């Protein structure tokens, strides 16, 4: 019987992180142990107000990064100060789950984050109080799927990691186990 492909980060979670969290936090049931639920990638394209082709280009780039077709986000209401009308395309987003999510995490922590200029680790305070982590990447070109020579514009990318953890402390340890580069706490 052929062996099915399991992403490297998923295998690591199942073999190392899950048992480690279960023991460290004293979870009695396997289903109590937190896991990654989804990752939402969002690209806001402010220049889309002047040129609607920018959203199409951003969607193509996000499709390469995410490995799936993104959804175009539209303005909910008109805003005269930004020359924005209701229903106008202003960005793109993609929600990753299951194996595709683990593949993205692998590429994020092993390839993309080390390529970020002046990177000193992720902010450990970027949790929302419910175990979800948000971060921003200023240049989407740090991902290897993007051909630097063929791009016209550089956009930022928001990455929101949703976990089933109920506290930020447990979620931080989950992400640290998946090699997210958080600075180590200073012991006194």
């Amino acid at each position: 019987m052929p062996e099915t492909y399991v992403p490297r980060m998923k295998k690591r979670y199942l073999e190392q992180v899950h048992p480690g969290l279960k023991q460290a936090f004293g979870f009695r049931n396997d289903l109590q142990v937190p896991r990654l639920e989804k990752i939402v990638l969002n690209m806001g394209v402010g220049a889309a107000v002047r040129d609607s082709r920018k959203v199409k280009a951003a969607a193509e780039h996000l499709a390469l990064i995410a490995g799936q077709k993104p959804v175009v986000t539209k303005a909910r209401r008109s805003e005269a100060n930004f020359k924005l009308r209701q229903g106008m395309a202003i960005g793109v987003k993609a929600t990753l789950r299951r194996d595709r999510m683990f593949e993205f995490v692998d590429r994020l922590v092993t390839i993309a984050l080390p390529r970020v200029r002046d990177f000193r680790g992720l902010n450990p305070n970027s949790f929302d109080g419910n175990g979800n982590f948000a971060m921003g990447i200023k240049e989407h070109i740090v991902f290897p799927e993007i051909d630097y020579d063929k791009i016209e514009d550089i956009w930022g990318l928001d990455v929101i990691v949703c976990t089933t953890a109920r506290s930020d402390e447990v979620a931080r340890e989950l992400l640290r186990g998946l090699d997210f580069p958080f600075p180590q706490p200073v012991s006194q």
Side-chain angles (χ1 to χ4, degrees):
M1 190 163 158
E3 191 175 314
T4 58
Y5 172 73
V6 178
R8 189 171 72 156
M9 279 293 175
K10 185 174 185 178
K11 191 174 184 179
R12 180 183 185 146
Y13 170 77
L14 294 172
E15 293 174 358
Q16 297 172 9
V17 179
H18 186 272
L21 288 173
K22 187 174 181 180
Q23 182 181 14
F25 292 99
F27 295 119
R28 293 181 182 173
N29 188 330
D30 282 346
L31 295 177
Q32 287 178 311
V33 180
R35 63 187 180 281
L36 293 182
E37 193 173 4
K38 65 182 176 181
I39 294 179
V40 180
L41 306 175
N42 179 43
M43 227 183 237
V45 185
V49 173
R50 293 182 297 284
D51 188 1
S52 61
R53 291 178 301 206
K54 304 261 186 206
V55 173
K56 186 177 179 190
E60 291 171 2
H61 288 217
L62 190 58
L64 290 173
I65 292 170
Q68 68 186 37
K69 185 179 176 186
V71 175
V72 175
T73 56
K74 299 180 188 291
R76 292 184 187 158
R77 62 175 185 231
S78 299
E79 187 63 53
N81 293 337
F82 299 119
K83 298 179 182 168
L84 189 65
R85 291 185 307 278
Q86 183 177 0
M88 186 181 279
I90 55 170
V92 290
K93 74 174 184 175
T95 302
L96 307 177
R97 297 177 194 271
R98 299 183 189 89
D99 287 353
R100 202 171 272 152
M101 168 184 66
F102 282 105
E103 289 289 344
F104 176 79
V105 168
D106 196 8
R107 284 182 289 123
L108 178 71
V109 298
T110 58
I111 300 170
L113 290 179
R115 292 171 99 186
V116 173
R117 198 175 352 177
D118 297 330
F119 184 70
R120 290 185 173 79
L122 297 173
N123 184 356
N125 300 324
S126 293
F127 286 87
D128 67 351
N130 296 320
N132 301 314
F133 179 73
M135 62 180 275
I137 298 174
K138 291 182 181 170
E139 300 175 338
H140 76 289
I141 56 174
V142 296
F143 286 94
E145 297 85 6
I146 305 298
D147 186 6
Y148 185 77
D149 297 329
K150 294 182 180 177
I151 64 163
E152 296 176 17
D153 296 307
I154 297 175
W155 294 292
L157 178 69
D158 299 323
V159 179
I160 296 94
V161 181
C162 300
T163 69
T164 60
R166 297 186 188 263
S167 72
D168 293 345
E169 177 191 359
V170 178
R172 193 175 295 112
E173 288 307 313
L174 166 65
L175 296 182
R176 192 172 274 140
L178 293 173
D179 281 347
F180 276 68
F182 291 107
Q184 291 296 327
V186 179
S187 57
Q188 297 174 349

